[in-house]
Structure formats: C-alpha cells, structure tokens
Amino acid sequence: MKNYLSLLLTFIVSIPCFTQVEFESKDGLISSAAYNTKIAKDFNYLILGDNSPQQGISATLNEKKSNIKINGLFYSGPTGVFTIEADLAASNGIYFFDQENGSEQGKITLNYYRRLTSLSKYKSLNPKNRAYINLQIVDLLAKTKTKYDNLLALLKTVKFNDAVRVSSDEEKRIYKQLRSITRNYINEDDKKGYDELPTTKFVSANYVKSTMANDNGGNQKGKDGIKDIKIDNKNNFDLIKLIKDYDETRDFILTKLEDSINKIELQNTSKQWTYNHTLFYGVSPFYERQSFKRFTYNANQSFSDMFNQVKGDIYGVTLSLNYSIEKGLANKKKLSPHSLFTRLSLSLIRGSNISNFRNSTLETSGVFGNDVNGNPVIFTNSDNAFIGDTRYEYGFGQRFTLDTYFYPLDLPIGLFGIISYEKIDFSSRSSAKDKEMYPLRLGLLFSLVNKDSKKPNITIQTFLDRTDLNLSPNGKDKDLRFGLGIGLPINF
C-alpha cells in the first residue's frame, strides 16, 4: 500500500489535539463517488440547462404558420431524466384543438434520457492543493465523529423506563458508517485513518436546563390508557434539545456526510477540468393531432359546403443516441471548441400525407344587382383552406435525423444544422403515393446574456430552411425560406 502524502494535522479548529493521519494513494482527481455526483449534475444541466439545444420555451413565427414548444421536467435522478414536451403549430393562432379555421398540429412527447458513459479530462492538483483538500476532509470527519461521540455519551446517561434511548444496533450502524467513509477517503488501514482521527469532549453544560427544577427521576403520566413513562434524567439535561441534536447528527452521518465530502472535492477541483464528454441515449414516444380545413370542389354544392374539417391521429417513438463535449475551466486554449452537441435519431411513426396539401386563399364572387347608373354591385367571399388531389391517408413512416449544435469559441454565438431523411410507405390500395423527403435547416445561434449573471436571457435562432432537398429552391418549387426562432431558457 503506497502512501504519497502524510499530513501532520495541527490544531484543527475546535479540536485541541495533535495527531498524524496518513492518506492512501488514490487514482484520479477526485473520488469515484464525487465523480458520479459531478457527471450526474453535468448530465442534468446538458438536458435542462440554459444552453441545452431544446430551451424551456421556444417559438417560431411566420405569416403562414406559427409554432411554439414548451418543455417541462417530470423527474431527474439516478435512473435518468424524464421530460415532457408540447409542440403546437397553427396557421391561425396557437391551438391544440380548433373547431374553426386554419390548420393545427398539437404534439405531445414524453422523453426519457439515460447516460451511457462519461469521460472527463483534467489537470492534476499540486501537492499543496491536494493537502488542503485532505485537511478539510479530515476536519469534517473529526468534527462529525466528535459530535456523535459526545451526544451519544450524554444521551446514555438518561434512562427511559430503565433503558437507554439508543439501541446497540443503531450505535454499531453509525460507527460502521463512519469507519467505512474514513476507509474510502483517508486510508483503508484503520490505524492510519479512523483510529487517528482527533476527538475531544463537549461541555455537557450546553445541554443543562437553565431552570433549577430537578428532573432527577419522575413519572410522565400517559393518556388514554398509555402506560406512564419513567425518565431518569439525573443531570437535568434539556432532553428536547439533546435528542434533536443527536437525531440530526445520526441522520447526517447516514445520509449526508459522504455528500458533504464530495462537495469539498468538487468545489476545490472545479477549475481543474479541461474537457467533459458525455454519451447518452433517449427514448421518446409521442402523439400528434393533425387538423386542417380542406377545400374540395363540387359543382353540386354551395361554396361554403365545399369546406370540411379533416382530423388525424399520428403516433410513434423516437430513439436517439446523443454525444456532448463541453470545454472545462482549466482549458485555456483560445481556439479549442467551447461546446459541441450532436444527435442521431430514428423515428418510427404512423404518418400521413398531410404534406401533399397546400394552404391557399379561395374566393368566390356574386352580383347583388345594379346601382343607379347601371353598374353591377359585386360581393366577394374568401376563405383559407388546404387543397390537394388525394384523400388524407395514413402510412408507415421512418425518419433518420442528424442534428448538431456547435459553439466554436467562448462566445454566445454558435452554429447548428439539422438534416433528415423521411419516408412514408402507403398501402397498395391507397390513392396516396409513397413519399421521400430530405428536410434541411442550417442556422446561427445567438445567446443574449445577462451582464451580471453571464447566463443567457434569450436564445435567437436565424436559419435557412428547406422542406425537401429534392425540390428546387428556385422556379416553381421555391423551396427556400429564411426564419427566426426565439428560445427562453425557462424549465418548469
């Protein structure tokens, strides 16, 4: 067992004794428990943080169709992260269901993300900083052990119905936990770790009641047939205060002591990391409601009767593999990429041929009569609707998508790109033709940061959009648009 550092602890605050504790050599910048805490925090921030690719609220607005997305958190813990996303689009306002005009698409998605692996690169600590971290750990362990020792000793002087309050099993469990933590963070050899932790005695007067009333023995009468309780408190301790402090110290040792040690490690090494890599997967089932007003010409109907509301139910699941790189504070290279996020996803869906319909303004005119000069008085009736040559039908669809978000410098300006391949196969009995599309979106990200907190208040996307690379951006297709998206870093 190699020892790379031997610390002589001198007069730890509130512990007036001298001792020597040896630290066992550990691989890595921090303990494995502290590293697990770090990557869990990084993973949650990647999914839900201020600069995540999907902001808490985002909106895309244009003349023909508006879109708004809202993200919310269900659960975040060791088993992963659950979120819910609402994606609402409309040509006339924002609705999930609309019985009047326009087209609507309301989509609800449940997202589950789980980390596969993480890799972090770092700069090693110098011996002085390493010793400072170890000193804080020993100080915390020594004070915690001292406090528990003394509270236990005081509480053992009090008898409840001729028995002490703390069972031997509980006492063994607490000391077992203390020894286990000491072995993990100081030395596996008790004689060089736990047994060398300094200790001292509390002043028992801190728990003596100020009143001179003598609680030296006595009966506390019970109610409703409960037996009387006999308390032997010969030192006149304030039992409420004593028991409360004991319970808090016991619970701290069992549930929070190791977390507090990990916090010491992470706070003192936050500036040592150069890069953080995270690989995780996602599973996202979704349901989408499609609704639009359709116009079908029929010479035997009035103009108003040629419109009908079409509604459809789309559902499926998206599987994704995600990779992220984040630059750490220790990386001082100006040309090193600040952050990169890329995702490869596969969606299996019950799709529709809604893309075969186009939104148009339809007009009809009629003559009321003539004016005094004999000129006809004409009225015009117009309405917006979608027209198409086929029926609205369902098919089996697949979608492969690669999207990437990249911040090349430590500036709130980034690049992003999304390219997909979509195919929907319809039944041979269907009038709809199988469809293949290659959507593309390229753009810039601008994060407007708060000058005080340096956190983004709003993220703006400017982008070039193509619905299908098979179409021409010029001529009759005119498949080229420029858009603007706005994201607010709000997560519920």
Side-chain angles (χ1 to χ4, degrees), residues 124-241:
S124 300
L125 285 170
N126 60 46
K128 180 183 68 174
N129 291 337
R130 174 66 70 185
Y132 178 62
I133 295 174
N134 290 339
L135 184 64
Q136 292 181 74
I137 294 174
V138 171
D139 185 42
L140 177 61
L141 285 169
K143 287 179 178 177
T144 302
K145 179 178 180 294
T146 290
K147 188 173 184 179
Y148 182 77
D149 287 342
N150 285 276
L151 289 172
L152 178 63
L154 296 180
L155 200 53
K156 280 186 174 181
T157 66
V158 182
K159 299 294 180 64
F160 300 85
N161 287 344
D162 298 325
V164 295
R165 182 177 182 272
V166 182
S167 68
S168 58
D169 289 341
E170 179 178 300
E171 183 180 342
K172 290 178 182 178
R173 183 159 57 105
I174 302 302
Y175 282 118
K176 182 179 179 181
Q177 178 77 348
L178 284 169
R179 287 184 178 275
S180 175
I181 293 175
T182 304
R183 291 190 189 103
N184 290 337
Y185 294 94
I186 297 182
N187 198 297
E188 293 180 0
D189 186 347
D190 280 355
K191 294 185 180 301
K192 297 178 181 180
Y194 181 83
D195 293 342
E196 290 297 325
L197 287 176
T199 186
T200 188
K201 295 291 184 182
F202 276 169
V203 180
S204 60
N206 292 337
Y207 291 93
V208 177
K209 287 185 177 180
S210 59
T211 177
M212 297 304 294
N214 186 6
D215 285 346
N216 193 13
N219 294 323
Q220 302 291 331
K221 292 186 177 181
K223 296 181 180 180
D224 301 327
I226 299 177
K227 289 184 177 181
D228 292 349
I229 301 174
K230 181 181 178 182
I231 300 176
D232 183 0
N233 184 16
K234 60 185 178 182
N235 293 316
N236 197 32
F237 288 144
D238 184 342
L239 293 183
I240 294 178
K241 184 176 186 299

Side-chain angles (χ1 to χ4, degrees), residues 254-271:
L254 292 176
T255 62
K256 299 178 182 179
L257 176 56
E258 188 166 18
D259 290 341
S260 298
I261 293 175
N262 296 158
K263 187 177 181 180
I264 290 173
E265 294 181 277
L266 293 173
Q267 286 179 341
N268 286 277
T269 58
S270 61
K271 297 181 179 180

Side-chain angles (χ1 to χ4, degrees), residues 262-300:
N262 296 158
K263 187 177 181 180
I264 290 173
E265 294 181 277
L266 293 173
Q267 286 179 341
N268 286 277
T269 58
S270 61
K271 297 181 179 180
Q272 300 300 121
W273 306 99
T274 56
Y275 267 112
N276 297 304
H277 303 255
T278 304
L279 181 67
F280 64 98
Y281 68 89
V283 180
S284 303
F286 62 86
Y287 165 78
E288 178 179 338
R289 174 72 174 226
Q290 293 180 344
S291 175
F292 63 96
K293 178 185 285 188
R294 181 182 179 184
F295 174 82
T296 305
Y297 176 74
N298 189 332
N300 297 320

Side-chain angles (χ1 to χ4, degrees), residues 410-425:
D410 192 9
L411 296 172
I413 301 175
L415 310 169
F416 77 96
I418 305 172
I419 186 169
S420 301
Y421 166 72
E422 300 179 10
K423 183 179 181 182
I424 300 180
D425 297 315

